Amino acid sequence: SLVGSEMCIRDRSQREAMNVLLVVISLIVCAQGTYISLSLNGVWDLQNKNGSIKTQGIVPGQVHMDLYRNNIIGDPFYRFNDDYIRWVSYDSWIYSFNFKVSSNILSFNTVSLVCNGLDTVADIYLNG
């Protein structure tokens, strides 16, 4: 069952340059030519792997901009800040979001989780 599900995206980027995480996530269900889409975009919980940084992030979005918006790092586009915040790219970041799915959607034979725009390596967990 997808009711009360938690979805996590773990960005395991090891790049030095800022990685863009522009994700359009939705559940798509189809039966007999009928499509229903449930957008999962919005405010998600964001934390680094060891849990020392916990804040909120916006999906679609990007980890550097979420950290900047929450005053955790300086403007990544100002002067040499890209050098000062390079550590962000070496950490793993977890976006998590709880959502409910209606019984109408659960009645379909096929439900697809569609993630458009994941950039870099990501692990996606549903209910876990």
Side-chain angles (χ1 to χ4, degrees):
S1 164
L2 295 177
V3 176
S5 298
E6 178 177 295
M7 179 177 175
C8 296
I9 298 177
R10 297 171 192 235
D11 179 10
R12 299 179 304 169
S13 169
Q14 293 300 314
R15 295 185 189 179
E16 290 185 9
M18 287 188 292
N19 296 302
V20 176
L21 177 64
L22 293 175
V23 185
V24 178
I25 300 176
S26 57
L27 288 174
I28 307 290
V29 294
C30 174
Q32 301 170 352
T34 302
Y35 291 90
I36 298 173
S37 177
L38 171 66
S39 174
L40 301 179
N41 294 342
V43 179
W44 288 44
D45 292 324
L46 170 63
Q47 72 176 43
N48 64 338
K49 186 175 183 175
N50 71 10
S52 63
I53 298 173
K54 293 182 181 182
T55 189
Q56 291 186 326
I58 307 280
V59 171
Q62 196 265 348
V63 69
H64 289 83
M65 295 313 295
D66 288 332
L67 296 175
Y68 172 59
R69 189 179 304 109
N70 289 288
N71 297 313
I72 295 169
I73 63 172
D75 182 348
F77 302 108
Y78 180 72
R79 303 195 71 189
F80 298 106
N81 278 357
D82 59 330
D83 284 336
Y84 304 139
I85 61 172
R86 188 163 293 180
W87 60 269
V88 173
S89 295
Y90 292 111
D91 207 339
S92 293
W93 296 94
I94 301 167
Y95 283 81
S96 59
F97 181 70
N98 290 312
F99 61 95
K100 294 187 188 260
V101 177
S102 70
S103 59
N104 181 39
I105 289 177
L106 293 175
S107 69
F108 284 86
N109 291 331
T110 302
V111 177
S112 299
L113 178 65
V114 178
C115 302
N116 294 319
L118 282 178
D119 180 36
T120 68
V121 178
D123 295 329
I124 301 173
Y125 299 92
L126 198 57
N127 285 339

